[in-house]
Every structure is written in C-alpha cells, then in structure tokens.
Amino acid sequence: MLRVPLASRRLLEAARRGLATASGARRLPLRHRAGAAAALGAAAGAWWLYLRHEKARRAQERRRDELRALALGAGDFELLDQHGRRRSLQDFRGAWVLLYFGFTHCPDVCPEELEKLSRVVETLDEEPGLPPLQPLFITVDPARDDAAALERYLSDFHPRLVGLTGDAEAVRAAGRAFRVYASAGPRDEAGDYVVDHSVLLYLLAPDGLLRDAYGRGKSHRQVADSIRRHMRTHRPRE
C-alpha cells in the first residue's frame, strides 16, 4: 500500500473540513468556500502526482531486478576501438553507457538507431547536473567492420561515440554477454550480405550493471526521459 506524504494528507484533511464547513454554513463568504475548494483540488493533485511517481519508481525497481537476474553484461571482454586501441568493458566503469550492437553495412535500422542514440546523448548533455552519457557501438560483423570501417561510419554520428570490433570470437563473446542474436544471411551475386541481429539500446550504470533496454518502438525523448530518471535515482551497489 502506498503511503501518502504527511503534508499532503494534512492539506487534504484541512480542505475537506473547509468544504464541510462551507456546506453546513450558508452564511460563509463565497471566497472562503472557493478557497477551500481550491485547497482540496491542490491536495488531490499533489496526492495524484505522488502516487504516479511511486508507481513509476516501483516499476523501475522491478525492471532493474529482472534485468539483474538475467546477469546481462556480466564479465568482461577486450576489443579494438575505431582508432585501433585495445578497449575492454571495464574501461567504461564509472560512466553511464548507452550501448548498441549493429554493423556498418546495415541499410536502415542501424543508422536510425544510432541517430536516435546520438539524439538521446545530445538531449541529456543539454541538462545541467546530469552526468555525461557515453555512447558505445559494438559490431556484429567483424569480417567487414575493421577499425578503419568503424571510423568512417561512426563519423556521421555523435562525436563521443566509441566503436568496437575484433576477431570473430571476441565479438561473439561480447554479444553473448548481452544475449545478442546475430546471424549473417546468404551472400548475393556481389558477395554482399546483411546480418539479422537484435535491435536494442542497452543502458549500463556506472557500476557496470544493466539498468534498462530500449527497443525500436521507443523515441529518443522516451529513452532520454527514462535514462534521466535512472540517473537521478541511481544508488551504487554496496
């Protein structure tokens, strides 16, 4: 059962008493009756806002616990960034990370999702008091996506975006850590192919734990709103 703040309960009770007095004493001035009604409305509004906040907070906690039970992102891996430097997941500990798995030859979905990811980062960068959000891209097509290919491709998106690649086994290990599905399709006459893969944005907290995941149906504003709530309510693991 949700507990209503004491101040809201007192305001609500006082407003109710005022309305009761107004209904029982017709000689009470109209402005007093209007004031009591306004107070009751304000108290009811504050109560509704509190209940909505509590509902959202509890839903967020349930989702966090469900994701923690899946142990997504647990462990570590080592890959190369678009500049050829060795990077591990541990390198990003202490920062909020928004991660996407995709490939540079993706015709439409990956560019759309990376554009959304970039807009999320830009939106949150404009808000003072929030920690920076690190965008991260990991390829699911290491055969074609070497460091040079990543550097060319990611230059069209947010300047902080880090891309990671490596040999086939290292990339598969990174995908397994997040239970990413990826399967290369048949080659056409030119030898080209597409890769069918999971389409999710993963939010990692500074402690490295997965906090949320967002599908294609979420707009950049919805994702930014969710991440903002996570940042403001985050409590490090003890």
Side-chain angles (χ1 to χ4, degrees):
M1 182 175 179
L2 295 176
R3 297 174 61 87
V4 180
L6 182 59
S8 295
R9 293 203 306 270
R10 286 176 174 171
L11 181 58
L12 191 60
E13 291 167 0
R16 284 172 174 166
R17 287 196 300 270
L19 282 182
T21 302
S23 62
R26 296 186 179 278
R27 289 175 295 179
L28 191 67
L30 178 60
R31 65 177 182 275
H32 290 174
R33 297 200 300 272
L40 180 58
W47 191 357
W48 179 81
L49 288 173
Y50 172 77
L51 293 177
R52 188 177 69 169
H53 170 77
E54 276 294 293
K55 182 179 179 180
R57 183 185 64 81
R58 293 189 178 192
Q60 182 173 294
E61 288 182 350
R62 286 195 300 271
R63 181 155 178 78
R64 180 197 63 198
D65 292 342
E66 290 168 357
L67 291 172
R68 181 179 293 180
L70 292 174
L72 296 181
D76 201 3
F77 50 78
E78 189 173 271
L79 297 169
L80 297 176
D81 69 16
Q82 68 263 46
H83 306 296
R85 295 175 299 203
R86 292 195 175 278
R87 306 292 291 268
S88 70
L89 193 58
Q90 187 67 34
D91 293 339
F92 299 95
R93 294 290 192 268
W96 287 91
V97 174
L98 191 58
L99 166 64
Y100 179 73
F101 287 83
F103 65 111
T104 66
H105 287 71
C106 183
D108 46 29
V109 175
C110 294
E112 291 173 359
E113 289 301 292
L114 286 175
E115 178 62 27
K116 180 168 72 176
L117 179 151
S118 297
R119 296 183 69 184
V120 169
V121 176
E122 290 170 355
T123 298
L124 296 176
D125 277 351
E126 293 173 355
E127 299 191 25
L130 291 181
L133 178 63
Q134 173 60 55
L136 183 62
F137 173 85
I138 299 179
T139 184
V140 294
D141 185 19
R144 293 181 293 185
D145 291 346
D146 58 12
L150 287 183
E151 185 172 21
R152 289 191 301 270
Y153 181 71
L154 298 181
S155 64
D156 290 333
F157 302 102
H158 196 279
R160 284 209 308 273
L161 181 57
V162 173
L164 298 179
T165 186
D167 61 43
E169 181 51 40
V171 167
R172 280 195 294 269
R176 282 195 300 268
F178 291 89
R179 300 190 184 182
V180 171
Y181 166 78
S183 177
R187 296 177 181 269
D188 61 19
E189 294 179 355
D192 198 13
Y193 59 91
V194 296
V195 180
D196 186 24
H197 62 91
S198 307
V199 181
L200 286 171
L201 295 175
Y202 299 90
L203 177 66
L204 304 179
D207 55 15
L209 293 178
L210 182 68
R211 280 293 182 264
D212 219 327
Y214 311 99
R216 291 188 69 190
K218 296 292 185 181
S219 69
H220 84 275
R221 293 190 182 279
Q222 289 174 313
V223 175
D225 288 343
S226 173
I227 294 175
R228 184 186 301 108
R229 287 193 297 270
H230 281 292
M231 287 178 168
R232 288 176 174 170
T233 60
H234 176 63
R235 297 293 181 273
R237 280 189 306 179
E238 296 181 356

PDB file of all heavy atoms in Angstrom, residues 21-30 33:
ATOM      1  N   THR A  21     -17.515  22.779   6.330  1.00  0.00           N
ATOM      2  CA  THR A  21     -17.990  23.988   6.981  1.00  0.00           C
ATOM      3  C   THR A  21     -18.778  24.843   6.000  1.00  0.00           C
ATOM      4  O   THR A  21     -19.831  25.397   6.320  1.00  0.00           O
ATOM      5  CB  THR A  21     -16.803  24.800   7.539  1.00  0.00           C
ATOM      6  OG1 THR A  21     -16.087  23.975   8.459  1.00  0.00           O
ATOM      7  CG2 THR A  21     -17.276  26.054   8.228  1.00  0.00           C
ATOM      8  N   ALA A  22     -18.279  24.916   4.776  1.00  0.00           N
ATOM      9  CA  ALA A  22     -18.944  25.740   3.781  1.00  0.00           C
ATOM     10  C   ALA A  22     -20.324  25.205   3.448  1.00  0.00           C
ATOM     11  O   ALA A  22     -21.269  25.957   3.257  1.00  0.00           O
ATOM     12  CB  ALA A  22     -18.095  25.805   2.513  1.00  0.00           C
ATOM     13  N   SER A  23     -20.457  23.872   3.377  1.00  0.00           N
ATOM     14  CA  SER A  23     -21.747  23.294   3.037  1.00  0.00           C
ATOM     15  C   SER A  23     -22.730  23.383   4.191  1.00  0.00           C
ATOM     16  O   SER A  23     -23.938  23.420   4.005  1.00  0.00           O
ATOM     17  CB  SER A  23     -21.573  21.827   2.620  1.00  0.00           C
ATOM     18  OG  SER A  23     -21.046  21.083   3.706  1.00  0.00           O
ATOM     19  N   GLY A  24     -22.196  23.447   5.417  1.00  0.00           N
ATOM     20  CA  GLY A  24     -23.074  23.486   6.588  1.00  0.00           C
ATOM     21  C   GLY A  24     -23.404  24.888   7.027  1.00  0.00           C
ATOM     22  O   GLY A  24     -24.272  25.086   7.883  1.00  0.00           O
ATOM     23  N   ALA A  25     -22.725  25.877   6.520  1.00  0.00           N
ATOM     24  CA  ALA A  25     -22.995  27.249   6.951  1.00  0.00           C
ATOM     25  C   ALA A  25     -23.125  28.110   5.711  1.00  0.00           C
ATOM     26  O   ALA A  25     -22.135  28.526   5.131  1.00  0.00           O
ATOM     27  CB  ALA A  25     -21.872  27.759   7.851  1.00  0.00           C
ATOM     28  N   ARG A  26     -24.357  28.370   5.288  1.00  0.00           N
ATOM     29  CA  ARG A  26     -24.587  29.089   4.055  1.00  0.00           C
ATOM     30  C   ARG A  26     -24.149  30.542   4.138  1.00  0.00           C
ATOM     31  O   ARG A  26     -23.986  31.190   3.120  1.00  0.00           O
ATOM     32  CB  ARG A  26     -26.067  29.018   3.682  1.00  0.00           C
ATOM     33  CG  ARG A  26     -26.518  27.591   3.389  1.00  0.00           C
ATOM     34  CD  ARG A  26     -27.938  27.552   2.874  1.00  0.00           C
ATOM     35  NE  ARG A  26     -28.352  26.187   2.570  1.00  0.00           N
ATOM     36  CZ  ARG A  26     -28.068  25.554   1.448  1.00  0.00           C
ATOM     37  NH1 ARG A  26     -27.340  26.167   0.538  1.00  0.00           N
ATOM     38  NH2 ARG A  26     -28.471  24.328   1.238  1.00  0.00           N
ATOM     39  N   ARG A  27     -23.948  31.046   5.370  1.00  0.00           N
ATOM     40  CA  ARG A  27     -23.525  32.433   5.504  1.00  0.00           C
ATOM     41  C   ARG A  27     -22.019  32.596   5.299  1.00  0.00           C
ATOM     42  O   ARG A  27     -21.522  33.704   5.296  1.00  0.00           O
ATOM     43  CB  ARG A  27     -23.927  32.973   6.881  1.00  0.00           C
ATOM     44  CG  ARG A  27     -25.439  33.184   7.019  1.00  0.00           C
ATOM     45  CD  ARG A  27     -25.809  33.585   8.407  1.00  0.00           C
ATOM     46  NE  ARG A  27     -25.522  32.504   9.357  1.00  0.00           N
ATOM     47  CZ  ARG A  27     -25.740  32.596  10.681  1.00  0.00           C
ATOM     48  NH1 ARG A  27     -26.226  33.709  11.204  1.00  0.00           N
ATOM     49  NH2 ARG A  27     -25.464  31.581  11.454  1.00  0.00           N
ATOM     50  N   LEU A  28     -21.262  31.457   5.131  1.00  0.00           N
ATOM     51  CA  LEU A  28     -19.829  31.558   4.908  1.00  0.00           C
ATOM     52  C   LEU A  28     -19.584  32.272   3.575  1.00  0.00           C
ATOM     53  O   LEU A  28     -20.207  31.936   2.566  1.00  0.00           O
ATOM     54  CB  LEU A  28     -19.209  30.156   4.858  1.00  0.00           C
ATOM     55  CG  LEU A  28     -17.676  30.084   4.886  1.00  0.00           C
ATOM     56  CD1 LEU A  28     -17.150  30.562   6.231  1.00  0.00           C
ATOM     57  CD2 LEU A  28     -17.215  28.650   4.613  1.00  0.00           C
ATOM     58  N   PRO A  29     -18.705  33.274   3.535  1.00  0.00           N
ATOM     59  CA  PRO A  29     -18.470  34.027   2.300  1.00  0.00           C
ATOM     60  C   PRO A  29     -18.057  33.109   1.161  1.00  0.00           C
ATOM     61  O   PRO A  29     -17.374  32.106   1.349  1.00  0.00           O
ATOM     62  CB  PRO A  29     -17.340  34.987   2.683  1.00  0.00           C
ATOM     63  CG  PRO A  29     -17.449  35.128   4.165  1.00  0.00           C
ATOM     64  CD  PRO A  29     -17.917  33.800   4.661  1.00  0.00           C
ATOM     65  N   LEU A  30     -18.479  33.514  -0.040  1.00  0.00           N
ATOM     66  CA  LEU A  30     -18.180  32.722  -1.223  1.00  0.00           C
ATOM     67  C   LEU A  30     -16.689  32.526  -1.414  1.00  0.00           C
ATOM     68  O   LEU A  30     -16.233  31.454  -1.800  1.00  0.00           O
ATOM     69  CB  LEU A  30     -18.784  33.407  -2.459  1.00  0.00           C
ATOM     70  CG  LEU A  30     -18.511  32.711  -3.805  1.00  0.00           C
ATOM     71  CD1 LEU A  30     -19.076  31.303  -3.813  1.00  0.00           C
ATOM     72  CD2 LEU A  30     -19.097  33.535  -4.946  1.00  0.00           C
ATOM     73  N   ARG A  33     -15.461  29.650   0.611  1.00  0.00           N
ATOM     74  CA  ARG A  33     -15.818  28.349   0.047  1.00  0.00           C
ATOM     75  C   ARG A  33     -14.957  28.037  -1.178  1.00  0.00           C
ATOM     76  O   ARG A  33     -14.506  26.913  -1.374  1.00  0.00           O
ATOM     77  CB  ARG A  33     -17.304  28.328  -0.334  1.00  0.00           C
ATOM     78  CG  ARG A  33     -18.239  28.499   0.862  1.00  0.00           C
ATOM     79  CD  ARG A  33     -19.644  28.006   0.550  1.00  0.00           C
ATOM     80  NE  ARG A  33     -20.248  28.723  -0.567  1.00  0.00           N
ATOM     81  CZ  ARG A  33     -20.952  29.858  -0.437  1.00  0.00           C
ATOM     82  NH1 ARG A  33     -21.100  30.401   0.762  1.00  0.00           N
ATOM     83  NH2 ARG A  33     -21.486  30.440  -1.483  1.00  0.00           N
TER      84      ARG A  33
END
